[in-house]
């Protein structure tokens, strides 16, 4: 099964740690990162898609993607 997540957050070190943690958990970068201004918060926001192949399991909407 192939899993997909889109990680988002303010442009700070916590976002970098979120992506780093996903990579160390076996996720791979997918596509290019995004960067946009959030007018509501006055901050720049980052986004990065990641994907992961998991053998021996079938997809279900109940899967907690962050736990895989």
């Amino acid at each position: 099964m192939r899993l997909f997540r889109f990680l988002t957050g303010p442009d700070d070190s916590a976002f970098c740690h979120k992506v780093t943690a996903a990579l160390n958990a076996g996720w791979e970068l997918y596509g290019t990162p995004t960067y946009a201004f959030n007018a509501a918060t006055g901050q720049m926001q980052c986004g990065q898609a990641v994907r992961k192949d998991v053998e021996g399991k079938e997809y279900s909407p109940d899967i907690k993607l962050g736990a895989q």
Side-chain angles (χ1 to χ4, degrees):
M1 134 179 89
R2 178 167 290 168
L3 303 175
F4 176 86
R5 295 173 61 195
F6 188 69
L7 307 174
T8 62
D11 180 20
D12 59 14
S13 63
F15 177 77
C16 295
H17 284 285
K18 185 187 298 188
V19 174
T20 299
L23 295 175
N24 281 283
W27 294 83
E28 298 176 0
L29 297 177
Y30 183 79
T32 57
T34 60
Y35 197 57
F37 181 71
N38 182 336
T41 64
Q43 292 183 307
M44 293 301 291
Q45 297 287 129
C46 298
Q48 175 64 58
V50 292
R51 71 180 190 112
K52 183 178 187 180
D53 291 323
V54 178
E55 299 296 324
K57 292 188 179 182
E58 291 196 27
Y59 173 75
S60 165
D62 297 329
I63 291 174
K64 297 198 183 302
L65 297 175
Q68 297 299 315

